């Protein structure tokens, strides 16, 4: 399975999943129809499915139009979002198996950014995981419909995937996220090295995806609530902050909102 990031809107990524042998294809998070259909035509692909991670317009904005353009196309999404993911045909629950372009995958229910958010995991050829707006490179999504504890649980589910799993997230936010991570853990060499690499990539206009689960464990402050340096930084600024993981996570999330 070949994976091609398709830049959409201002900083979103859709991802084309392609079987190069037979030109079957699917798209993860179709925020706009026209650029996705143009890419499908340019590559001579047959688009068979849309996989939606969550109901925000910048992830599903193109569903209806693509479904009209390609009658019979399958639209996979969260069972919890039956009313919110347009054109949904295949509602999925946590852990449910799925099949697109001849590949078996699995839906992971990871609520908190939204109450119905899904990730899509494919072991074959990867492993690969599509994380929408829950896990970005070096940060997590905002808590629109969930608590810090719920987001920690969802992130823990993703962190339990093999370290080599490639992480394909919903937005190109990596450079800004790593600046925040570096500010919290200035002595973390993995963060400093990745920030330098990402700055160079962005200067050339290249995407910073994919990350990996292993890399996220080393560089993402939202997977590092146990880090002594992170806790030291927070306690210097907020001496009253309780020394427990949920409090540290919630404060990190709050700081990022204003960084
Ligand atoms: Zn979103
Ligand atoms: Fe988004």
């Amino acid at each position: 399975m070949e994976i091609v990031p398709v830049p959409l809107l201002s900083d979103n990524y859709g991802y084309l999943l392609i079987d190069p042998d037979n030109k079957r294809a699917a798209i993860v998070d179709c925020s706009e129809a026209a650029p996705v259909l143009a890419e499908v035509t340019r590559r001579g692909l047959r688009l068979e499915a849309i996989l939606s991670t969550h109901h925000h317009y910048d992830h599903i904005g193109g569903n209806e139009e693509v479904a009209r353009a390609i009658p019979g196309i399958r639209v996979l999404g969260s069972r919890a979002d039956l009313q919110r993911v347009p054109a949904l045909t295949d509602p999925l629950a946590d852990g449910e198996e799925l099949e697109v372009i001849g590949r078996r995958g699995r839906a992971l229910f990871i609520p908190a950014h939204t109450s119905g958010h899904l990730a899509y995991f494919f072991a074959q050829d990867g492993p690969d995981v599509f994380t929408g707006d829950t896990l970005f490179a070096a940060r997590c999504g905002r808590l629109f419909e969930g608590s810090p504890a719920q987001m920690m649980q969802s992130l823990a589910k993703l962190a339990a995937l093999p370290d080599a799993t490639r992480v394909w997230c919903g937005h190109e936010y990596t450079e800004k996220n790593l600046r925040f991570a570096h500010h919290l853990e200035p002595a973390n060499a993995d963060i400093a090295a990745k920030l330098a690499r990402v700055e160079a990539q962005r200067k050339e206009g290249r995407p910073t995806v994919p990350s990996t689960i292993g890399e996220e464990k080393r560089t993402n402050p939202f997977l590092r609530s146990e880090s002594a340096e992170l806790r030291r930084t927070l306690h210097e600024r907020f001496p009253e902050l309780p020394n427990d993981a949920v409090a540290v996570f919630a404060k990190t999330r709050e700081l990022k909102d204003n960084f």
Side-chain angles (χ1 to χ4, degrees):
M1 177 167 90
E2 192 185 330
I3 298 172
V4 178
V6 183
L8 299 171
L9 302 174
S10 59
D11 52 28
N12 278 83
Y13 287 123
Y15 295 103
L16 274 175
L17 316 184
I18 302 170
D19 184 334
D21 295 334
N22 52 28
K23 300 283 183 186
R24 296 172 72 182
I27 180 90
V28 178
D29 279 354
C30 184
S31 53
E32 308 178 83
V36 169
L37 293 173
E39 193 62 22
V40 162
T41 304
R42 197 179 70 78
R43 292 172 177 266
L45 304 171
R46 186 157 41 99
L47 191 63
E48 299 182 348
I50 299 172
L51 296 87
S52 299
T53 60
H54 67 294
H55 75 281
H56 286 159
Y57 82 98
D58 62 317
H59 299 260
I60 50 81
N63 284 21
E64 297 274 15
E65 195 180 332
V66 169
R68 273 198 303 276
I70 307 174
I73 192 169
R74 291 162 59 212
V75 179
L76 291 71
S78 180
R79 178 172 291 282
D81 278 335
L82 270 176
Q83 312 303 324
R84 303 202 292 187
V85 170
L88 185 61
T89 61
D90 294 27
L92 299 166
D94 188 32
E96 205 167 318
E97 300 252 331
L98 59 99
E99 180 277 322
V100 287
I101 64 165
R103 264 59 169 187
R104 273 182 193 292
R106 187 154 48 92
L108 302 173
F109 187 53
I110 48 167
H113 176 67
T114 67
S115 59
H117 202 298
L118 286 188
Y120 296 96
F121 176 72
F122 293 87
Q124 200 187 334
D125 309 337
D128 293 288
V129 68
F130 298 88
T131 57
D133 285 0
T134 296
L135 176 66
F136 298 116
R139 88 160 159 95
C140 71
R142 284 177 186 252
L143 305 176
F144 290 119
E145 299 177 359
S147 65
Q150 190 181 34
M151 179 57 97
M152 288 179 84
Q153 231 174 53
S154 292
L155 293 174
K157 216 181 246 187
L158 297 171
L161 297 173
D163 278 355
T165 306
R166 294 185 294 184
V167 175
W168 307 87
C169 59
H171 291 265
E172 181 58 68
Y173 293 154
T174 312
E175 187 175 357
K176 212 173 162 212
N177 295 347
L178 283 167
R179 291 225 173 84
F180 177 65
H182 180 62
H183 156 84
L184 294 175
E185 291 187 86
N188 181 322
D190 292 309
I191 291 174
K194 186 164 181 183
L195 178 56
R197 192 174 89 220
V198 160
E199 280 170 350
Q201 285 174 317
R202 293 312 292 155
K203 241 174 236 142
E204 294 168 14
R206 283 189 286 140
T208 63
V209 284
S211 182
T212 65
I213 290 293
E215 205 167 290
E216 288 313 301
K217 287 181 187 166
R218 293 189 296 273
T219 58
N220 190 322
F222 296 92
L223 294 175
R224 298 181 55 74
S225 298
E226 306 293 339
S227 150
E229 192 187 16
L230 171 68
R231 289 192 176 201
R232 234 174 8 251
T233 304
L234 294 181
H235 280 121
E236 272 163 27
R237 281 181 66 184
F238 308 97
E240 310 292 296
L241 185 69
N243 204 15
D244 77 90
V246 178
V248 167
F249 180 93
K251 181 56 81 179
T252 308
R253 188 52 269 180
E254 191 188 310
L255 285 178
K256 181 67 186 83
D257 286 342
N258 304 304
F259 184 75

